[in-house]
Amino acid sequence: MALGRNQILSLYKSLLRESHKFSSYNYREYAIRRVRDGFRAGRDLANEAEQEQRLQIAQESLEMIKRQVVIGLLYKSPALIIEK
């Protein structure tokens, strides 16, 4: 069963919101770039099975990002010059 447009947009926003929580500039920018690129690549998929697979991967990525943000907060590194 395919998710509706609102649910997909909600997942996209959640992924971006969680990605912005990374304390490290490099991880944060990488995660944001991957989320945007992944959703752009999946925009033109016509096969419903592929869409479902991509959405499942996106949901798993959201959970992984949440875990990684917590770990990043536990082991915080000094801010880069670009962040100051």
Side-chain angles (χ1 to χ4, degrees):
M1 177 178 175
L3 294 175
R5 178 177 167 82
N6 289 337
Q7 292 170 321
I8 293 170
L9 288 175
S10 175
L11 179 60
Y12 177 71
K13 288 178 184 178
S14 295
L15 281 161
L16 285 178
R17 194 174 306 117
E18 287 299 318
S19 295
H20 279 286
K21 292 181 181 178
F22 276 111
S23 59
S24 171
Y25 173 81
N26 291 325
Y27 290 132
R28 183 172 52 245
E29 292 302 313
Y30 175 76
I32 292 169
R33 188 173 53 249
R34 286 289 305 224
V35 168
R36 288 182 179 153
D37 290 347
F39 272 83
R40 282 187 191 129
R43 179 176 18 189
D44 299 327
L45 290 177
N47 186 354
E48 191 170 322
E50 284 184 43
Q51 289 175 351
E52 298 255 350
Q53 183 182 11
R54 290 278 182 106
L55 291 173
Q56 182 63 33
I57 291 169
Q59 289 172 338
E60 291 170 4
S61 295
L62 177 60
E63 296 303 316
M64 189 247 339
I65 289 172
K66 286 180 180 180
R67 288 190 304 270
Q68 289 302 117
V69 165
V70 170
I71 291 170
L73 292 174
L74 290 174
Y75 301 102
K76 208 169 194 178
S77 61
L80 299 174
I81 293 174
I82 197 167
E83 294 178 291
K84 294 180 182 180

